[in-house]
Amino acid sequence: MNEEIKNKILHTIESYETIVVSRHIRPDGDAVGSTKGFTKILRDTFPEKKIYLTDEDFSDYLAFCGGEDSVPEEVYKDALLIVIDTGTRKRISNSNYAKAQKIIKIDHHIEADPYGDINWVEDFRSSACEMIADFCVTFRDRLKIAPEAATFIYMGMVTDSGRFRFEGVSGETLRLAAAMLDYGVDYETLFAHLYTEDFATLKFKSFIYDHIQITKNGVAYIYMDSAMQEKFALSFEEASNVVSELDAIKGSLIWVAFIDNVAKGNIRVRLRSRFLGINDIAIRHHGGGHNMAAGATVFSVEEMYELIEEADALLGEYKATHGGWL
Ligand code: AMP
């Protein structure tokens, strides 16, 4: 059903000598995996082309994936830019993106900004890596897919789907993940990188559990203010990861992490839910994302409490009108 657009993308890639690949700011496993994996495939398949990957923003926990050389500004005027896993142009981690001759957008977020000349957007996909895996399988006879590339793509599929647990995981997800495994994914090393923790981190988690709050209707939230971040010498990214500590509380179908962004003077919001959507709340607070995983920004502690009240009211209404939730 998406054959036409994939063919168009491959033809466009074939017609350009210079290609730049980019992802979103604050890159996660899917952003890094999809761009690293796709770049590796393009470099191996088209060794005569100049293929770059922008690396302007960085997440410490993915440092094991390796860095990239910077991209000379002058290459953009003749370049094709492929932006993966990035819903809006505001979130593109590439200060030169608008200088590219043509842009291809490959993304799995709800469409809010079709900034590409070609937009391949499938919001039912559990990850952008799932789309890259689909592209690989479609053109398996024309692309060189090394084990390293497959490992990057598998990493994004695993991380963005919460190890194949979240909404959007389908039979097709697992068939495509299986196809990546067949290319030789080194999952033992990958999982050791992704899922082992320092003892100090576990100590930190015990502190977090002491500070989680639950609203009347069951919204779990935590406010990682600047003092907490300082106490544990956390980077902003590390502090932001706290959202994953809130995701398994019985009855808390919505959970939210608020993280002081000292550099910007605002508070980052990470919203998550099961059974009901929270994207509308994110949109009301300068954000967006997916139905059950979204991001936002609030500009004061008062606005933070407004958002919590909105989430609490939503969850209260859901529980009053639905049975069967856990
Ligand atoms: P995060 O909590 O930052 O991981 O965000 C959850 C999802 O929402 C990710 O897929 C993000 O790409 C998306 N997202 C986060 N912030 C925004 C925003 N301000 N606008 C649109 N999408 C966002």
Side-chain angles (χ1 to χ4, degrees):
M1 85 213 144
N2 54 19
E3 302 305 303
E4 198 181 321
I5 190 137
K6 285 186 289 189
N7 272 308
K8 200 167 163 191
I9 289 172
L10 186 59
H11 286 144
T12 308
I13 289 170
E14 283 168 344
S15 71
Y16 271 81
E17 287 303 301
T18 306
I19 298 170
V20 181
V21 180
S22 289
R23 55 196 173 217
H24 62 74
I25 51 171
R26 295 190 203 130
D28 57 8
D30 193 25
V32 171
S34 59
T35 52
K36 282 273 198 187
F38 202 54
T39 300
K40 170 81 180 145
I41 290 165
L42 294 182
R43 284 176 178 156
D44 290 347
T45 308
F46 305 106
E48 70 290 355
K49 293 187 194 296
K50 290 191 214 78
I51 317 267
Y52 301 91
L53 168 57
T54 57
D55 208 2
E56 288 181 12
D57 203 4
F58 191 74
S59 293
D60 294 340
Y61 75 102
L62 295 169
F64 70 89
C65 295
E68 288 285 325
D69 293 335
S70 60
V71 183
E73 201 179 321
E74 60 274 14
V75 306
Y76 281 91
K77 63 179 185 343
D78 303 314
L80 169 67
L81 175 68
I82 304 174
V83 185
I84 311 178
D85 193 34
T86 310
T88 61
R89 69 194 80 194
K90 240 177 40 203
R91 289 178 54 78
I92 302 174
S93 180
N94 180 343
S95 41
N96 290 314
Y97 84 88
K99 296 179 187 143
Q101 199 177 83
K102 189 173 248 185
I103 299 181
I104 295 176
K105 172 184 182 180
I106 301 176
D107 188 35
H108 74 126
H109 295 92
I110 297 164
E111 182 63 287
D113 181 9
Y115 56 78
D117 298 287
I118 300 172
N119 297 291
W120 177 27
V121 176
E122 294 184 347
D123 63 18
F124 60 89
R125 297 286 194 177
S126 65
S127 63
C129 276
E130 184 180 320
M131 298 173 70
I132 301 299
D134 179 42
F135 193 85
C136 289
V137 168
T138 304
F139 299 116
R140 64 188 336 149
D141 298 333
R142 291 161 76 180
L143 299 172
K144 287 209 170 79
I145 302 157
E148 189 193 329
T151 301
F152 279 128
I153 296 165
Y154 192 74
M155 174 177 85
M157 297 184 80
V158 166
T159 54
D160 237 35
S161 68
R163 293 181 240 185
F164 304 113
R165 280 191 306 137
F166 298 161
E167 192 199 24
V169 171
S170 63
E172 183 68 353
T173 310
L174 296 186
R175 278 186 286 278
L176 290 167
M180 293 303 102
L181 287 174
D182 289 343
Y183 283 109
V185 171
D186 177 4
Y187 49 80
E188 210 168 344
T189 309
L190 175 67
F191 287 157
H193 277 302
L194 289 175
Y195 299 121
T196 55
E197 290 178 312
D198 296 332
F199 188 53
T201 309
L202 293 174
K203 288 274 192 205
F204 164 65
K205 285 187 180 175
S206 75
F207 172 87
I208 293 302
Y209 293 136
D210 266 349
H211 286 78
I212 293 172
Q213 308 278 329
I214 311 270
T215 63
K216 182 168 72 172
N217 290 307
V219 175
Y221 69 93
I222 187 162
Y223 176 31
M224 292 291 293
D225 62 15
S226 51
M228 283 192 206
Q229 295 180 37
E230 260 173 48
K231 182 177 160 78
F232 287 94
L234 298 174
S235 68
F236 180 63
E237 272 317 311
E238 286 166 334
S240 299
N241 290 339
V242 73
V243 69
S244 55
E245 304 311 318
L246 306 173
D247 73 349
I249 303 170
K250 223 171 201 174
S252 290
L253 309 185
I254 298 179
W255 56 103
V256 194
F258 298 91
I259 307 101
D260 264 345
N261 188 338
V262 180
K264 293 199 173 147
N266 57 34
I267 302 173
R268 179 183 182 186
V269 187
R270 307 189 76 190
L271 295 116
R272 302 289 186 269
S273 61
R274 61 174 66 85
F275 304 137
L276 74 170
I278 36 69
N279 194 39
D280 287 348
I281 298 180
I283 290 170
R284 278 202 294 279
H285 294 274
H286 317 278
H290 305 280
N291 203 19
M292 298 189 183
T297 306
V298 293
F299 293 87
S300 64
V301 172
E302 290 72 36
E303 191 184 351
M304 175 177 92
Y305 284 111
E306 277 165 33
L307 190 153
I308 292 166
E309 269 181 35
E310 287 168 35
D312 185 60
L314 184 71
L315 184 51
E317 194 196 323
Y318 181 83
K319 286 184 173 177
T321 50
H322 294 75
W325 49 268
L326 292 159

